[in-house]
Amino acid sequence: MAIGTLVLLRHGESVWNAQNLFTGWVDVPLSEKGTAEAIRGGTLLREAGILPDVVHTSLQRRAINTAHLALDAADRAWIPVKRDWRLNERHYGALQGKDKKQTLAEFGEEQFMLWRRSYDVPPPPIERGSEFSQDADPRYAGLGADLPLTECLKDVVTRLVPYWESEIVPDLRAGRTVLIGAHGNSLRALVKHLDGISDSDIAGLNIPTGIPLRYDLTEDLAPTTPGGTYLDPDAAAAAISAVANQGR
Ligand code: DG2
């Protein structure tokens, strides 16, 4: 028997996605296109008859605002919200603020893809106090030694799964429909966990902006449909290949 429905929503296009810059923990806003994608995501939820009862987001405005715009479009802006840094995007270390195309040209395909998609090779750490570091950001003041200076996907799995288990699974077990507003790589980490994707195969998985991905889960938290179901599969397929080809 299925327990509650889970919907994963990567934020709409951000202004740095539009400029092809590595973003990570830098708190950039949505672009105009991203705002429209978020509203469209909510319309898709409404049309599918999916009514979230609770929303979990990262601490980053592109995910917070996308979830809000989507819920507003679905007439669910009033539901309870939980936010946590464990849903944040992967910290992109010293690559934060760098142009993806220039990085590819400077370091070559192999290194570029190791940094972007390998499971366990983090980019070089960001320098404390540098322009795109978060060490003076008050929202992370309580993190202490947990504040990352860089992360690989494995690090994201390590910090995200405890939040999944302690905060999100109880909502699902209570029969709630849960919306998660998060990011390309934090959602890749969650999908890896849900679908049991291997460390090497996860390199080939990309998540498009603004298109809700629905999962129905069994009692033992296995997806009834492996990989879930995008609410607009054609748009998702096109957007997935655009993400895969970023930097080229
Ligand atoms: C992107 C993902 O994260 O980039 O940090 O640049 O989802 O928060 O826009 P998001 C970033 P890639 O790993 O796909 O290059």
Side-chain angles (χ1 to χ4, degrees):
M1 198 187 83
I3 59 168
T5 297
L6 174 68
V7 181
L8 309 185
L9 181 61
R10 182 182 174 192
H11 58 81
E13 180 197 72
S14 74
V15 294
W16 276 22
N17 292 147
Q19 292 174 64
N20 223 1
L21 304 177
F22 285 105
T23 313
W25 279 38
V26 183
D27 194 19
V28 297
L30 294 176
S31 67
E32 251 179 63
K33 180 180 166 197
T35 299
E37 287 174 344
I39 295 168
R40 162 103 177 115
T43 305
L44 288 168
L45 287 176
R46 199 186 62 227
E47 288 172 354
I50 299 172
L51 304 176
D53 297 304
V54 59
V55 56
H56 293 254
T57 78
S58 72
L59 301 187
Q60 300 181 276
R61 56 164 54 83
R62 56 193 187 276
I64 291 169
N65 293 338
T66 293
H68 178 70
L69 287 164
L71 287 169
D72 200 30
D75 202 13
R76 303 292 286 183
W78 49 270
I79 63 173
V81 179
K82 299 179 193 170
R83 307 201 197 283
D84 199 279
W85 72 274
R86 290 173 189 274
L87 293 174
N88 271 21
E89 182 51 304
R90 170 161 80 108
H91 197 295
Y92 248 121
L95 297 182
Q96 293 189 166
K98 297 219 181 316
D99 186 289
K100 292 184 186 181
K101 202 170 184 161
Q102 279 169 16
T103 306
L104 173 61
E106 189 178 340
F107 294 95
E109 175 76 19
E110 195 184 338
Q111 185 62 66
F112 178 74
M113 286 313 285
L114 271 177
W115 283 335
R116 261 192 100 205
R117 289 294 177 264
S118 75
Y119 186 54
D120 54 9
V121 179
I126 198 163
E127 204 179 308
R128 284 185 194 279
S130 60
E131 186 179 5
F132 298 123
S133 82
Q134 283 65 50
D135 30 37
D137 190 322
R139 86 195 82 179
Y140 306 120
L143 283 193
D146 280 337
L147 180 74
L149 298 176
T150 186
E151 290 181 306
C152 57
L153 194 66
K154 189 177 181 183
D155 297 322
V156 181
V157 170
T158 302
R159 52 119 149 138
L160 183 142
V161 170
Y163 184 78
W164 161 254
E165 285 171 351
S166 67
E167 302 296 327
I168 301 176
V169 169
D171 279 339
L172 291 164
R173 290 212 185 279
R176 297 186 186 110
T177 295
V178 175
L179 176 67
I180 301 180
H183 304 261
N185 293 298
S186 52
L187 291 176
R188 289 176 67 239
L190 183 53
V191 166
K192 181 182 191 301
H193 180 72
L194 288 174
D195 281 311
I197 298 171
S198 72
D199 297 358
S200 55
D201 285 352
I202 193 61
L205 187 112
N206 290 287
I207 309 262
T209 52
I211 305 176
L213 174 59
R214 173 187 183 148
Y215 276 91
D216 293 291
L217 302 172
T218 63
E219 273 295 334
D220 55 0
L221 303 174
T224 56
T225 304
T229 308
Y230 279 105
L231 296 195
D232 184 344
D234 293 340
I240 284 167
S241 77
V243 176
N245 288 318
Q246 256 188 316
R248 287 178 190 87

